[in-house]
Amino acid sequence: MRSRALWLASLAALFAGLGCHQDMWLQPKALSQTKTPVFANAAASRASVRGTVEFGKPMTDEAYYTGRVNGVPVSEFPIPVTEELLRRGKERFMVNCSHCHGAIGNGKGMIAQRGFTLARPVGNYHSERLRNMPIGHFFEVITNGYGTMYPMKSRIKPADRWAIAAYIRVLQRSQYTPIQQIPQEEAARLEALPREPGQDAPPEPKIMQPKPAMPAGANL
Ligand code: HEC
């Protein structure tokens, strides 16, 4: 008898609870084109605030977001190039690019060594053409992809794309800098390095050769 009364009471409480669904039905929010006491002119729909970018509106800094101005790749960075930016660029380059392009950007990363080059060679940043490319080109390649390289705009935000582009310039300098532009004592040190006969530049770094394929069922 007692447990039946308890059962009925809790059922009644349950229905009472379900009956008055105040929680999500009445919300303290203003619907568009309605009145609100919050603002002096009583309009719930507000004009955009000056100097701010509205959600979903096109991003207006063309150079920063596209790497181009009037359809031409920019040759100057749209942001200050600082040591911090270069360090960030190095870190992001190692994460996003080095497995194909190699740690020095010569196009001989591990994926290239394992057969990616069969379709088209992975870009080598040290060609004369790429050394002379305006910086906007590198931003654009990361953003939209290039030939068989996929676009990365969905996974690398613009600030990091510029950081990586800046680091590509570091890599290019690391492999090709006229001796006159190097501090004197550093130049002397480089000149003193041993060379092969007839060689006029330091040797290319040794690249690991691909390993032979594992036999099926090999014990790893
Ligand atoms: C999955 C491999 C892969 C990854 C990862 C990759 N690339 Fe590439 N990249 C390529 C290939 C392949 C090409 C050559 C494409 C072609 O010529 O069709 C290329 C070409 C390039 C070029 C040369 C474009 C030109 O004008 O010749 C640049 C610059 C470049 N990549 C930058 C980057 C940067 C920066 C990253 C990282 C944010 C990156 N790539 C990540 C495979 C890759």
Side-chain angles (χ1 to χ4, degrees):
M1 224 15 219
R2 220 165 129 205
S3 74
R4 199 164 154 202
L6 211 72
W7 165 241
L8 280 174
S10 50
L11 209 64
L14 179 71
F15 283 136
L18 286 177
C20 39
H21 41 56
Q22 294 237 328
D23 42 0
M24 300 292 278
W25 289 67
L26 299 170
Q27 293 177 18
K29 72 176 183 194
L31 298 172
S32 57
Q33 311 299 336
T34 59
K35 277 187 173 182
T36 173
V38 176
F39 300 109
N41 68 356
S45 301
R46 313 301 302 164
S48 51
V49 178
R50 269 182 114 186
T52 60
V53 178
E54 287 173 63
F55 180 73
K57 284 284 160 77
M59 293 166 267
T60 46
D61 189 340
E62 197 189 349
Y64 183 78
Y65 288 109
T66 69
R68 283 179 180 243
V69 167
N70 299 326
V72 183
V74 294
S75 47
E76 296 213 343
F77 282 87
I79 47 165
V81 178
T82 59
E83 186 182 334
E84 199 192 340
L85 185 87
L86 298 179
R87 288 195 188 281
R88 173 77 183 166
K90 177 177 184 179
E91 198 248 346
R92 291 291 96 189
F93 174 85
M94 293 310 285
V95 171
N96 292 291
C97 324
S98 66
H99 45 291
C100 285
H101 285 276
I104 59 164
N106 60 1
K108 295 183 180 158
M110 193 46 81
I111 290 183
Q113 293 184 43
R114 294 290 172 122
F116 199 84
T117 45
L118 291 178
R120 267 176 83 109
V122 174
N124 171 9
Y125 305 154
H126 309 296
S127 67
E128 187 153 0
R129 180 178 67 85
L130 284 180
R131 273 202 303 268
N132 294 323
M133 271 294 175
I135 195 66
H137 176 68
F138 297 95
F139 180 87
E140 202 169 34
V141 170
I142 308 172
T143 308
N144 302 320
Y146 183 90
T148 52
M149 182 184 135
Y150 50 81
M152 302 211 191
K153 60 170 168 282
S154 62
R155 51 188 104 179
I156 307 177
K157 53 189 183 177
D160 282 343
R161 278 179 246 155
W162 283 114
I164 294 172
Y167 185 65
I168 289 180
R169 284 285 191 246
V170 172
L171 290 176
Q172 289 177 328
R173 281 300 202 121
S174 79
Q175 303 301 302
Y176 188 91
T177 300
I179 198 95
Q180 301 80 2
Q181 291 179 17
I182 296 177
Q184 233 167 31
E185 70 251 39
E186 196 59 21
R189 196 182 66 78
L190 288 174
E191 293 281 21
L193 286 177
R195 294 182 192 190
E196 310 265 326
Q199 186 191 359
D200 62 356
E204 276 242 323
K206 292 251 176 333
I207 305 292
M208 271 175 68
Q209 289 308 308
K211 292 198 183 117
M214 252 331 151
N219 191 353
L220 301 172

